[in-house]
Amino acid sequence: MGTKISDVMTERPRAVEPQTSVREAARLMEVDDVGSLPLVEDGARLVGVVTDRDIAIRVVAHGLDPETTGVGDVASRELVTLTPDDDLDEALTLMASAQVRRLPIVVRDDELVGMVSQADIARTAKEKHVGEVVEAISRAPRGPRVSGGDLNEESREPDEASYRRDDEPLPERTKE
């Protein structure tokens, strides 16, 4: 039997509630040197994760006010989780298939008890296997991403397509 998640996870991770401002969440990320914060309700029930990417894409790029925007409005709600008893190899496989760098660890009724990251795994797993997983997680989409001039408020309203998961393809843009 391999290493369990409980052996490598960060216990009692810092978490935020939906009404926490984006500015405060970003400050906490800086202080704790992390790229994501779990979003909890009722003290410990995991309901989402807010990442530095969520802040950049869903707040900054759309010109929202980080002081008045709550993390509950921009957090990712489709979660991939594991339990402390799951095997480390399972975490590696799940991270690669979901292309995520961090996984919340939960017990009964989605109670948050920890987080496991690429770095946690890299410190304990076999070097070759971790390298393959990091490569799979970080694999960039194919093809160029060419920007066509400045986008302004009138020409680009936020829509559902702008709130996509990392593994969803970007919508095709047509020339006007």
Side-chain angles (χ1 to χ4, degrees), residues 14 42 49 53 64 113 135 157 176:
R14 169 100 60 186
D42 305 324
V49 172
R53 186 176 195 284
L64 300 179
V113 294
E135 181 180 329
E157 287 294 318
E176 296 180 336

Side-chain angles (χ1 to χ4, degrees), residues 101 117-124:
R101 291 176 169 84
S117 69
Q118 262 183 347
D120 296 328
I121 293 169
R123 284 190 286 272
T124 43

Side-chain angles (χ1 to χ4, degrees), residues 42-119:
D42 305 324
R45 186 173 56 86
L46 182 68
V47 295
V49 172
V50 64
T51 67
D52 47 9
R53 186 176 195 284
D54 292 331
I55 292 170
I57 301 299
R58 298 176 183 170
V59 178
V60 176
H62 290 283
L64 300 179
D65 182 357
E67 290 287 344
T68 60
T69 303
V71 292
D73 296 331
V74 298
S76 301
R77 300 287 183 146
E78 292 181 26
L79 301 173
V80 180
T81 64
L82 289 172
T83 71
D85 292 328
D86 286 324
D87 192 72
L88 191 60
D89 286 336
E90 208 170 325
L92 290 168
T93 302
L94 194 54
M95 284 177 158
S97 66
Q99 285 196 305
V100 295
R101 291 176 169 84
R102 307 159 195 96
L103 292 171
I105 308 304
V106 297
V107 293
R108 64 198 165 276
D109 299 322
D110 291 327
E111 178 187 342
L112 178 69
V113 294
M115 291 288 285
V116 67
S117 69
Q118 262 183 347

Side-chain angles (χ1 to χ4, degrees), residues 2 8-9 13 21 30-31 33 40 43 59-60 63 77 84 97 99 113 128 135-136 142 150 153 159 161 171 174:
V8 299
M9 72 180 191
S21 75
E30 179 184 27
V31 168
D33 194 27
V40 297
V59 178
V60 176
R77 300 287 183 146
S97 66
Q99 285 196 305
V113 294
K128 182 177 189 283
E135 181 180 329
R142 295 194 174 122
D150 292 337
E153 300 295 325
D159 57 15
T174 58

Side-chain angles (χ1 to χ4, degrees), residues 137-158:
I137 291 169
S138 302
R139 188 169 293 130
R142 295 194 174 122
R145 300 255 313 131
V146 180
S147 296
D150 292 337
L151 295 175
N152 60 38
E153 300 295 325
E154 292 84 38
S155 69
R156 175 103 175 155
E157 287 294 318

